[in-house]
């Protein structure tokens, strides 16, 4: 499965499953040093041009515990453009950055928090396990108060937040959709060709599952009708291969259950196509 779809669990069974540790198998190969920096040949701390990728301006306070992983796309065209944004005062960013060719860079210490999640959405609402009282509160559609309620919950009952999650960014731009065409493959998957409003720029998506295709149709419609609502590029095969490796290593390192890995729009109110084509399983 490409995304974090999973059958909802109820009550104590859900909490126990979400909080279970040791769900990852095998030993981590990351060799994290006392600065929180990974020492592994697949994780780089400098670009080919010699630019250091650890970005102190996105680091915040200490992060004593890691309970989940959040997968993002950058809405920028390159590693350098992302690092430029990370170099600004009070910048936000994630702990890792994966280029389109699959190269992995570390951009923040794994011992430090970064602001990469944003206000939390209700987890029980998505998993259809809220109490009647909380269901009524969620129906008021107040994102600020919803985030306040979620932030008070223990890990597993809420989504991972800035305080206890590692962020992984995938280089990828986003554009406003103008029109699209789609075709269906013999195996039941779908291809999309989206014309954007940016100088005839087209976005190509291949071999989307039926669920991903349904979500993409929704995202295209939203982009065509809403201001500043953009559609993200398809994640490359090389990015997904590196994402799968990195996700497994981090799960092994921090004993993170597979159920605690999410795309950004799942946990916060973001454009729904962000990381739609990311595959970490």
């Amino acid at each position: 499965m490409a995304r974090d779809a999973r059958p909802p669990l109820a009550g104590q069974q859900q909490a126990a499953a979400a909080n279970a540790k040791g769900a990852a198998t095998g030993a981590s190969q990351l060799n994290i040093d006392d600065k929180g920096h990974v020492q592994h040949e697949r994780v780089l701390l400098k670009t080919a041009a010699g630019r250091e990728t650890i970005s102190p301006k996105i680091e915040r306070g200490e992060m004593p515990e890691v309970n989940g992983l959040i997968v993002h796309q950058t809405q920028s065209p390159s590693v350098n453009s992302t690092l430029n944004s990370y170099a600004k005062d009070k910048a936000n960013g994630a702990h890792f950055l994966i280029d389109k060719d699959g190269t992995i860079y570390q951009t923040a210490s794994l011992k430090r928090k970064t602001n990469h999640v944003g206000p939390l959405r209700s987890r029980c609402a998505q998993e259809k396990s809220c109490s009647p009282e909380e269901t009524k509160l969620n129906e008021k559609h107040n994102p600020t108060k919803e985030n306040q309620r979620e932030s008070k919950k223990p890990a597993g009952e809420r989504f991972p937040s800035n305080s206890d999650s590692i962020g992984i960014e995938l280089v990828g731009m986003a554009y406003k959709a103008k029109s699209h065409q789609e075709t269906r493959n013999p195996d039941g998957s779908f291809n999309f060709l989206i014309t954007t409003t940016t100088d005839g720029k087209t976005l190509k998506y291949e071999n989307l599952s039926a669920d991903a295709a349904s979500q993409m149709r929704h995202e295209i419609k939203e982009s065509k009708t809403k201001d500043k609502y953009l559609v993200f590029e398809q994640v490359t095969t090389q990015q997904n291969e590196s994402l799968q490796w990195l996700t497994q290593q981090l799960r092994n390192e921090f004993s993170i259950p597979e159920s605690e890995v999410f795309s950004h729009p799942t946990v916060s109110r973001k454009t729904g196509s962000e990381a739609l084509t990311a595959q970490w399983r």
Side-chain angles (χ1 to χ4, degrees):
M1 297 173 65
R3 306 239 4 234
D4 38 317
R6 58 189 185 281
L9 300 172
Q12 293 182 350
Q13 181 185 6
Q14 173 190 333
N19 282 311
K21 290 293 185 179
T25 59
S28 167
Q29 303 170 18
L30 296 181
N31 299 315
I32 300 170
D33 65 19
D34 57 2
K35 294 181 180 179
H37 299 167
V38 171
Q39 303 297 322
H40 190 281
E41 62 182 4
R42 288 196 66 173
V43 180
L44 305 185
L45 301 177
K46 288 185 179 182
T47 67
R51 181 176 187 175
E52 293 186 0
T53 60
I54 294 293
S55 303
K57 289 187 178 179
I58 69 172
E59 297 178 342
R60 300 297 189 263
E62 293 185 3
M63 183 167 61
E65 186 175 18
V66 177
N67 292 308
L69 307 176
I70 310 297
V71 182
H72 308 256
Q73 280 181 282
T74 59
Q75 198 176 328
S76 64
S78 68
V79 166
N80 275 331
S81 61
T82 303
L83 294 178
N84 288 342
S85 71
Y86 285 6
K88 296 178 181 179
D89 290 339
K90 300 180 181 180
N92 296 328
H95 296 83
F96 293 94
L97 178 62
I98 302 179
D99 203 355
K100 290 186 176 182
D101 66 0
T103 303
I104 303 171
Y105 300 96
Q106 186 176 359
T107 48
S109 167
L110 294 177
K111 296 186 177 183
R112 309 290 291 183
K113 295 181 289 186
T114 71
N115 290 340
H116 65 98
V117 176
L120 292 176
R121 300 179 67 184
S122 169
R123 182 165 184 168
C124 69
Q126 293 197 51
E127 297 182 347
K128 304 185 186 306
S129 60
C130 292
S131 66
E133 179 182 4
E134 189 161 7
T135 296
K136 289 182 180 179
L137 291 173
N138 289 336
E139 287 174 349
K140 294 181 179 180
H141 303 294
N142 187 319
T144 299
K145 291 188 176 181
E146 184 173 317
N147 175 65
Q148 291 171 349
R149 290 194 298 273
E150 292 301 303
S151 297
K152 294 176 182 178
K153 297 178 181 179
E157 292 183 23
R158 57 163 171 81
F159 289 120
S161 68
N162 289 330
S163 65
D164 66 347
S165 70
I166 292 170
I168 304 172
E169 289 268 21
L170 307 172
V171 173
M173 278 293 287
Y175 301 88
K176 190 160 183 61
K178 182 178 180 181
S179 62
H180 84 284
Q181 297 176 328
E182 65 176 274
T183 57
R184 184 169 184 171
N185 298 316
D187 64 0
S189 64
F190 292 83
N191 305 319
F192 285 76
L193 187 66
I194 301 175
T195 301
T196 75
T197 61
T198 305
D199 298 327
K201 170 75 176 180
T202 58
L203 302 179
K204 187 177 182 180
Y205 304 82
E206 296 180 319
N207 304 314
L208 299 189
S209 68
D211 287 344
S214 177
Q215 180 68 27
M216 183 58 71
R217 294 183 195 103
H218 173 76
E219 295 304 313
I220 294 168
K221 181 179 179 181
E222 293 287 280
S223 182
K224 289 167 64 176
T225 58
K226 292 184 177 180
D227 291 339
K228 298 181 181 180
Y229 199 98
L230 306 178
V231 178
F232 279 82
E233 293 178 302
Q234 183 169 19
V235 176
T236 70
T237 299
Q238 296 94 324
Q239 283 177 315
N240 275 328
E241 289 172 350
S242 292
L243 176 63
Q244 289 165 11
W245 178 84
L246 180 59
T247 297
Q248 187 62 57
Q249 295 304 317
L250 291 168
R251 288 186 56 226
N252 290 344
E253 180 72 34
F254 294 100
S255 297
I256 299 170
E258 187 177 55
S259 63
E260 301 308 296
V261 185
F262 302 95
S263 65
H264 196 192
T266 299
V267 304
S268 191
R269 286 174 169 77
K270 301 296 178 180
T271 299
S273 64
E274 182 184 349
L276 173 63
T277 53
Q279 298 178 4
W280 54 82
R281 292 182 177 89

